[in-house]
Amino acid sequence: MAIPKFRNHPIIKEFNGLKKFFRSHETSTSKKRVYDFNKFAELITTNEQEVAFDILGSVNFGQAKENSDTDLVIYLNCSEHDTGECDPGNCPNVHKFRTMLHENLKNEYGQSYSIEIVDCINLNQLDHALKNRDLDSMSLIRFGFYRSICRGINRKVLRKYEAKLSMDDELCQMIEASLADCFLGFIHSSQHTYSFKKYVDRLEEDGFKVPLSMAQKINSYLRV
Ligand SMILES: [Zn+2]
């Protein structure tokens, strides 16, 4: 986990404990996808254009199967949106990288798989918010949240932003106060609840019995 100051937040601790359990039974498809995204991000990152990802969903939990979608947050320094917000549905740069990623996977495997870019963080905007110590910055809150719970790809791009944030106690406190709200929205989505059930079913299909203590933890977590 990337930002030490958020590591002991009770909800983050709980979530990452569950994640660690599922990851200890990681599928080969999950490992392959992490490899694919790392390779792609490193390939297209230059001095002028940095690209990194945070992975959510089944690959984050190490439970992806061949037909699983992959949910990604993309980080890029967007030439189109300067230091403004980058909407993944309407940004030509996000569109360009999504297309390149699919092309790359097609070249490698003959076909691509389903990728959903669920959010985009413009690194120019993030940098601007860090420099100006913007206590109302939504991109900083989202960055802190994703970096606390997701699986980072091409992490070296993100480290300087993580380091800058970690040095600023006031910004960290602002983010910490918002993490619970981010989380409640995230875990109360029916998709998320369904995912946990799906991961447990997958492990059991593969002949692995989820220990009672872990099943209780999952149940209590879903009632948060
Ligand atoms: Zn953009």
Side-chain angles (χ1 to χ4, degrees):
M1 200 173 39
I3 301 169
K5 288 201 172 147
F6 307 140
R7 199 174 290 165
N8 288 322
H9 187 290
I11 303 178
I12 287 188
K13 216 171 161 179
E14 183 93 343
F15 182 88
N16 285 328
L18 287 174
K19 192 170 77 177
K20 198 171 163 193
F21 166 77
F22 285 107
R23 283 244 199 117
S24 66
H25 303 280
E26 181 161 32
T27 61
S28 56
T29 303
S30 304
K31 286 182 193 161
K32 193 80 190 59
R33 291 195 183 181
V34 169
Y35 172 81
D36 290 342
F37 298 136
N38 263 314
K39 202 170 131 193
F40 174 75
E42 282 176 20
L43 189 79
I44 59 168
T45 290
T46 61
N47 286 338
E48 291 75 41
Q49 177 62 70
E50 296 179 315
V51 177
F53 299 105
D54 255 328
I55 308 184
L56 296 141
S58 61
V59 179
N60 190 23
F61 279 80
Q63 295 302 310
K65 293 275 165 121
E66 285 296 328
N67 58 354
S68 302
D69 293 351
T70 304
D71 295 335
L72 295 175
V73 174
I74 186 168
Y75 298 95
L76 51 89
N77 34 18
C78 186
S79 53
E80 190 74 20
H81 291 111
D82 191 22
T83 55
E85 188 71 29
C86 210
D87 170 8
N90 285 306
C91 173
N93 286 316
V94 173
H95 180 73
K96 178 178 84 182
F97 289 122
R98 185 195 284 121
T99 306
M100 282 169 77
L101 179 53
H102 277 300
E103 289 302 319
N104 206 270
L105 293 169
K106 272 185 216 158
N107 285 341
E108 186 84 10
Y109 302 115
Q111 59 177 28
S112 186
Y113 41 77
S114 173
I115 293 159
E116 177 95 25
I117 297 188
V118 295
D119 198 2
C120 172
I121 291 187
N122 180 1
L123 293 171
N124 296 333
Q125 187 185 31
L126 191 69
D127 194 46
H128 190 258
L130 283 165
K131 277 187 187 138
N132 290 286
R133 311 194 58 249
D134 181 358
L135 292 166
D136 297 315
S137 166
M138 281 308 293
S139 61
L140 267 177
I141 293 174
R142 276 148 54 219
F143 178 71
F145 177 62
Y146 294 136
R147 288 287 56 244
S148 299
I149 63 159
C150 296
R151 192 164 192 170
I153 299 291
N154 208 16
R155 280 274 317 281
K156 62 177 183 291
V157 164
L158 303 176
R159 279 197 192 107
K160 59 176 179 275
Y161 303 97
E162 290 167 8
K164 217 181 265 183
L165 174 60
S166 296
M167 283 186 300
D168 193 320
D169 285 340
E170 209 182 346
L171 279 182
C172 282
Q173 279 163 16
M174 177 278 284
I175 293 174
E176 208 171 353
S178 306
L179 286 177
D181 282 342
C182 287
F183 230 94
L184 286 174
F186 180 68
I187 60 174
H188 279 161
S189 74
S190 55
Q191 200 186 357
H192 187 75
T193 307
Y194 174 65
S195 299
F196 267 111
K197 290 187 180 124
K198 205 160 65 177
Y199 305 154
V200 170
D201 289 347
R202 274 178 200 163
L203 283 184
E204 299 201 335
E205 266 168 36
D206 293 344
F208 185 84
K209 187 88 190 83
V210 175
L212 187 62
S213 59
M214 194 44 73
Q216 281 164 345
K217 208 171 170 186
I218 292 167
N219 283 334
S220 80
Y221 179 80
L222 292 176
R223 280 197 297 271
V224 170

